[in-house]
Amino acid sequence: MALRSKFDPELQGLSKNFRLTKCTGLHGGGCKVPREVLQKLLEDFGQSQYKEEHFMGGMIMPRLGIGMDTCVIPLRFGGLSLLQTTDFFYPLVDDPYMMGKIACANVLSDMYAMGVIECDNMLMLLGVSSKLSETERDVVVPLMIRGFKDCADVAGTSITGGQTVLNPWCLIGGVGTSVCQPNEFIMPDNAVPGDVLVLTKPLGTQVACVAHQWLDQAADKWNRIKLIINEEECEKSYHDAMFIMSRLNRTAAQLMHRYGSHGATDITGFGILGHAQNLVKQQRNEVNFIIHNLPCINKMAAVAKACGAMFGLLQGTSAETSGGLLICMQREEAAKYCTEIKKIDGHQAWIIGIVEKGDRTARIIDKPRIIEVETLDDGTVQSIPPVTTTRRSSQIKPQITTPLKQPRLETSEPVSAHMDQAVSSAPSQEIPITTVTSVHDGEVAELTQIDGTVQLLQCGDQFQQQQAVGQVQYQQ
């Protein structure tokens, strides 16, 4: 996939100082009303009326209303359901064409989170900023519309109407509608203990866009991060974020059917933790979601950390725009899913957490593993290979709250095929680590031991187990 060159306003007949993001005071998914406030505001709609299945026309029809990505309304005829969503936000990138594509992809992601592959119709919502001059309006608005339409064309849908108004701030979004048979969508409520959580896009889009604005404006806040990320790296992270946000989750939705998704949501304005909490509340079973790993656009975790509580990226509360799908599925199927999506699209997906028995809460562990991610020259999104060193286990002081009294490695048993629990053991000065290696491309999928359970951190292709006897691989 060829990447689009940087937007140059002068080539479009605009002032070199023109910035689309100056036409708004809020940006992207960061414009959302806080999740807790929104839930209180929506109480009068009576969300519970949509949570139960309904008997219509001799069939049991699922129904879903306010609270998740897409409403599911049984139609009166033919055992069909109407799935519909709407979304809009303010510009967070300065390229109007890319902003249109991002807005369209963001609307469609709500449908894809339900496993809907075909969107039957779209409407476009457009607010033209009253701050734009006539020349700026005549250049910027057609570019935004073209980007929105081009993305809809790639998705195989069409735009048949909408609404355009003048507004102090520029905004763009739309409505997506699909009429589906029962097997064409997946209700987001069937997670079971033992499932894992898969994420299809990296986090950090808001951080990348804000950091780029600081760089562009030579703001004082740039001084806070310039020792962490240089100008070239900041430009690339921003560029990567634009293409990640404009990418459709359509393949991810297709594969949800093939590999038996138990439910999904897309990651947008509430951050990964907020959307994980929304999803876990919908589950029929009493489960918890535990997130161990956070794939992030390269350098964005360090930037967010340097900015204190400003973003909340490591806490899972940083807003995302047109983010990936967070999917619950069986552990074995998740590895196959990640392999397949990489084979089809070239983009990597990650297993980031587990589903366990609980009380319908979601959390991120205290020190999640950060997976640095970048977009390569061919447009594919991949993890940056970690720098690893092999050390003698006697040199490592593992942080274990209770002593482990275990038999020697030579007699240890292999990790089970499902990788649910480490049964191998060692003397207290040695820690047995099992690595899982991708047969296809040699990519190592690392394991971590948490509360006595070995968890898969990153999925590759087809897996084989290897015992690391007497040595431990640690990431620096």
Side-chain angles (χ1 to χ4, degrees), residues 120-133:
D120 294 324
N121 183 61
M122 291 193 77
L123 306 176
M124 186 175 68
L125 306 175
L126 184 62
V128 179
S129 174
S130 55
K131 297 178 182 179
L132 294 174
S133 69

Side-chain angles (χ1 to χ4, degrees), residues 397-416:
K397 295 182 179 180
Q399 297 180 358
I400 302 175
T401 55
T402 56
L404 297 178
K405 295 183 179 180
Q406 303 170 325
R408 294 187 177 278
L409 281 170
E410 304 89 79
T411 60
S412 64
E413 299 177 8
V415 174
S416 67

Side-chain angles (χ1 to χ4, degrees), residues 57-72:
M59 300 178 64
I60 296 178
M61 301 291 291
R63 192 176 180 97
L64 184 66
I66 296 170
M68 285 304 293
D69 305 299
T70 301
C71 67
V72 178

Side-chain angles (χ1 to χ4, degrees), residues 321-378:
T321 300
S322 189
L325 301 187
L326 180 67
I327 310 169
C328 308
M329 59 177 59
Q330 291 182 354
R331 192 180 293 261
E332 300 85 350
E333 297 303 299
K336 299 174 185 176
Y337 178 94
C338 294
T339 299
E340 188 74 4
I341 199 170
K342 187 174 181 180
K343 184 183 298 182
I344 294 173
D345 279 349
H347 304 300
Q348 194 156 357
W350 302 267
I351 294 176
I352 66 164
I354 60 173
V355 179
E356 62 181 25
K357 187 173 178 59
D359 55 359
R360 297 187 179 91
T361 61
R363 68 178 179 90
I364 299 175
I365 63 172
D366 290 339
K367 295 182 179 180
R369 177 176 180 255
I370 303 302
I371 302 173
E372 302 284 356
V373 179
E374 67 176 350
T375 301
L376 304 183
D377 291 341
D378 62 359

Side-chain angles (χ1 to χ4, degrees), residues 6-66:
K6 182 178 178 181
F7 175 72
D8 185 346
E10 290 186 288
L11 293 179
Q12 302 293 334
L14 303 175
S15 165
K16 67 177 182 180
N17 296 319
F18 174 82
R19 298 293 184 270
L20 183 60
T21 49
K22 289 183 178 179
C23 296
T24 175
L26 295 172
H27 303 99
C31 69
K32 276 200 172 183
V33 174
R35 176 174 169 269
E36 296 78 10
V37 176
L38 181 61
Q39 289 176 335
K40 186 173 181 61
L41 293 174
L42 297 178
E43 286 177 354
D44 289 344
F45 278 96
Q47 298 179 35
S48 61
Q49 64 177 310
Y50 293 117
K51 290 185 178 179
E52 301 299 328
E53 293 174 335
H54 287 251
F55 189 79
M56 294 184 64
M59 300 178 64
I60 296 178
M61 301 291 291
R63 192 176 180 97
L64 184 66
I66 296 170

